[in-house]
Amino acid sequence: VFHGRILAQRLVGQETRYEVEVKAPYRRRFPLVSREYLWVPNTCGCPPLLEGGEYLLMARRHVNHEHTLNRILLPDGGYARPWTPREVRLVREAA
C-alpha cells in the first residue's frame, strides 16, 4: 500500500504501464524506490488513473517462475482510490 502520483502512462499490449512517483509507502511487503512502474491489466475494474493525480494504491509484487519479470501489479480487483490528506477526510466525515 502506498501513496503515489501518476507521472505518465503508456499502453503496452494488453496492459497499461504507469510511471508513479512514490510519495509515501504505508505497508512494506517489498521495497519501493522513489519512482516505480505500476502495471494494470486493461480489463481492470479499478478507477482510471489520471496523469498528475494522486492515489492510494494497494498493489502486489509479481515475479514469474524464471525470475526474469519482477514488477508491481495492480491486479483486477486491486484497490486504487483518489488520495486525500487525512485532515480533509476527517472534516468530511464530521460534516
Side-chain angles (χ1 to χ4, degrees):
V1 177
F2 65 98
H3 166 207
R5 182 169 66 93
I6 306 298
L7 301 174
Q9 70 179 33
R10 180 175 177 205
L11 188 62
V12 180
Q14 298 296 314
E15 298 176 301
T16 303
R17 183 188 76 184
Y18 293 94
E19 184 178 352
V20 179
E21 175 187 2
V22 177
K23 297 281 215 173
Y26 296 111
R27 297 193 74 191
R28 296 182 184 222
R29 293 190 175 201
F30 49 86
L32 292 171
V33 294
S34 62
R35 291 202 178 178
E36 293 278 0
Y37 286 122
L38 175 70
W39 293 85
V40 180
N42 293 339
T43 59
C44 182
C46 55
L49 304 176
L50 304 174
E51 287 186 39
E54 294 187 23
Y55 299 89
L56 183 64
L57 301 159
M58 184 181 302
R60 65 181 178 91
R61 177 73 68 185
H62 174 257
V63 180
N64 67 354
H65 293 293
E66 295 82 22
H67 295 279
T68 58
L69 184 65
N70 183 351
R71 60 192 188 159
I72 299 174
L73 177 67
L74 183 64
D76 189 24
Y79 185 80
R81 70 166 182 85
W83 184 85
T84 55
R86 179 177 155 88
E87 296 79 21
V88 172
R89 286 195 309 264
L90 291 175
V91 169
R92 286 182 188 164
E93 291 172 3

